[in-house]
Amino acid sequence: MSFRKLQIAELLRRNISIVLQADGHYIYGPEAMVTVTSVNVTPDLALAKVYLSIFNSENKQAVLLELEAAIDDVKKNLYYGIRKHVRNVPGFVFYCVD
């Protein structure tokens, strides 16, 4: 990966973690704990693959579905942390890492 892609991936990883830590209990409930393990960005910076670890949840797929349902809120909150670094907030695809 290029240096710019690595920078953007790390920026997204940190800021998505902050958003999930602050607003995650509203999205998927207070029981589940979600951490961002890594982020891969496409060469055109339009799509980010976000790999998550999900703990304290019996149904990890349900947590992923709730995150995808609330993707607009996550993007809106993420925008405030990265608006000075990128022109557009990329699209997200969430994956669960076991």
Side-chain angles (χ1 to χ4, degrees):
M1 279 205 292
S2 69
F3 183 70
R4 179 70 177 156
K5 281 177 46 178
L6 289 173
Q7 278 184 324
I8 296 298
E10 181 62 22
L11 178 74
L12 289 173
R13 187 189 66 78
R14 288 182 185 175
N15 285 290
I16 292 171
S17 298
I18 291 169
V19 168
L20 291 180
Q21 184 179 16
D23 299 331
H25 59 280
Y26 296 120
I27 298 171
Y28 46 77
E31 301 86 27
M33 186 176 89
V34 177
T35 59
V36 180
T37 57
S38 66
V39 176
N40 290 335
V41 182
T42 58
D44 61 352
L45 303 177
L47 182 68
K49 295 179 182 179
V50 181
Y51 296 94
L52 305 171
S53 291
I54 301 171
F55 301 102
N56 290 341
S57 177
E58 295 294 324
N59 192 356
K60 296 179 181 187
Q61 189 64 28
V63 173
L64 284 176
L65 291 174
E66 290 170 357
L67 272 171
E68 289 181 5
I71 192 68
D72 291 334
D73 294 332
V74 173
K75 275 186 166 182
K76 182 179 71 172
N77 293 335
L78 178 66
Y79 173 74
Y80 295 112
I82 66 171
R83 67 178 178 248
K84 294 181 181 178
H85 303 283
V86 296
R87 291 183 184 173
N88 297 321
V89 177
F92 297 112
V93 179
F94 293 112
Y95 296 100
C96 183
V97 176
D98 289 331

